[in-house]
Amino acid sequence: MPKIAVYPGSFDPATYGHLDIIKRSLEIFDKVIVAVIRHPHKEPLFTLQERVKMLKVATKDLKNVKVDSFEGLLVNYVKSQKTNIIIRGLRAISDFEYELQMVLMNRRLNNSIETIFLMPEEHYSYLSSSLVKEIVFSGGKASKFVPPVVEEALHRKFSVDKSGRSW
Ligand code: ADP
């Protein structure tokens, strides 16, 4: 049986930190499903289709990665993919409390699900999608933080939307 893991997230947008976690996961699992969440109550900068498409381009050279999307309960999605493993990235202590809450809640919902945490390369540990959006919105360059497809999309998005929204 191939070992499959699901790496869920908003990926709004994907950064090199996310890609670092995907590559580390591929060292452990035969297949990694990157699962973009459709949040019913959160308005992302990029549509679900845009987020999926950018991840597909960014991971096109990685074997054994599938990019998918889902809505509803993560534990149900994970089961539907015939696995019980969730991957999450852990950057700093500040991630810990939220992640612990999620693990414990998911365990309540389905006791057979396990979450594995991976830590990125040190220089990605301060990187977040929100920070990247702020940098580009404020006129900075993000090429060190995001793949070219994402950087282009950010510049396109902000050149048509300078309405001063906050994330
Ligand atoms: P979510 O809204 O689910 O937290 P994100 O796209 O922000 O979605 O993050 C998805 C996962 O990737 C989370 O586990 C998060 O901790 C992790 N992650 C985000 N940025 C980084 C990074 N720079 N390095 C490592 N992991 C990261």
Side-chain angles (χ1 to χ4, degrees):
M1 281 283 276
K3 284 187 290 169
I4 300 170
V6 171
Y7 177 33
S10 309
F11 303 103
D12 185 38
T15 69
Y16 282 139
H18 293 124
L19 288 174
D20 179 297
I21 298 297
I22 293 170
K23 287 177 193 159
R24 283 170 203 282
S25 309
L26 287 168
E27 298 288 323
I28 309 171
F29 295 94
D30 300 314
K31 181 176 170 188
V32 174
I33 301 170
V34 184
V36 184
I37 301 167
R38 179 199 290 274
H39 289 291
H41 307 300
K42 250 196 206 171
E43 210 208 313
L45 176 65
F46 291 100
T47 66
L48 188 68
Q49 290 73 18
E50 287 171 327
R51 287 177 280 149
V52 167
K53 191 159 177 223
M54 285 187 280
L55 269 166
K56 281 188 177 163
V57 173
T59 58
K60 69 177 188 325
D61 294 330
L62 297 176
K63 269 199 204 133
N64 304 322
V65 173
K66 176 178 134 183
V67 181
D68 194 13
S69 62
F70 74 100
E71 57 184 316
L73 280 180
L74 172 60
V75 291
N76 292 346
Y77 174 77
V78 172
K79 277 281 141 201
S80 77
Q81 299 303 301
K82 310 268 178 283
T83 181
N84 64 337
I85 305 292
I86 296 171
I87 298 279
R88 294 285 287 176
L90 207 52
R91 285 163 291 186
I93 293 285
S94 48
D95 280 340
F96 181 77
E97 204 167 322
Y98 173 73
E99 295 295 341
L100 177 68
Q101 192 183 3
M102 292 296 288
V103 168
L104 297 180
M105 181 51 82
N106 283 335
R107 199 172 276 167
R108 269 292 171 93
L109 296 170
N110 185 327
N111 198 25
S112 70
I113 302 280
E114 288 298 344
T115 305
I116 293 182
F117 292 94
L118 296 174
M119 290 174 191
E121 197 72 60
E122 201 180 327
H123 53 268
Y124 295 138
S125 61
Y126 56 86
L127 184 56
S128 69
S129 301
S130 328
L131 213 49
V132 166
K133 285 183 275 196
E134 277 184 39
I135 290 168
V136 178
F137 184 73
S138 308
K141 274 178 63 110
S143 50
K144 287 202 180 92
F145 313 124
V146 295
V149 63
V150 172
E151 172 145 45
E152 281 159 30
L154 279 166
H155 284 292
R156 258 200 320 275
K157 190 70 94 178
F158 290 134
S159 66
V160 293
D161 174 23
K162 272 274 178 186
S163 57
R165 59 194 289 183
S166 62
W167 306 280

